Amino acid sequence: CVPIYYEAIVKRLGDVGISVRKRVVRILRDLCLKEPGSPHAVDACRRLVSRVVDEEEVQKLALRAFHELWFLPSSGEQLSADESAARCKQILSVSSRATRQS
């Protein structure tokens, strides 16, 4: 169901309402946490990067999302080698795409 609504959801990142943008940040964070291998995960992260220069509340949520996605273990234990590698790959993909689109 994500592909059906994904574009409509990410368009709301530009909404004038702070509460709408905050909700979209949470939705994208949840998508990335639940489906890290999803084709939309890298795009969602790239779009979240654009929110780190938003209003303070939205900025804090976006930064917290990246902290949860990339630096906290998902199970409360240490990251496995595979999980660490997958997170590094995602960080590099996001960085690469963000640089190309700048």
Side-chain angles (χ1 to χ4, degrees), residues 21-61:
R21 295 194 310 270
K22 286 171 55 176
R23 185 65 191 131
V24 173
V25 168
R26 287 186 198 105
I27 291 169
L28 294 178
R29 179 204 61 210
D30 290 346
L31 166 71
C32 292
L33 285 170
K34 291 178 182 171
E35 300 180 35
S38 162
H40 295 295
V42 171
D43 184 66
C45 288
R46 184 188 57 78
R47 292 176 189 260
L48 285 173
V49 167
S50 71
R51 297 296 99 198
V52 298
V53 293
D54 203 326
E55 299 281 336
E56 185 177 359
E57 292 178 51
V58 179
Q59 178 185 33
K60 284 181 182 179
L61 274 178

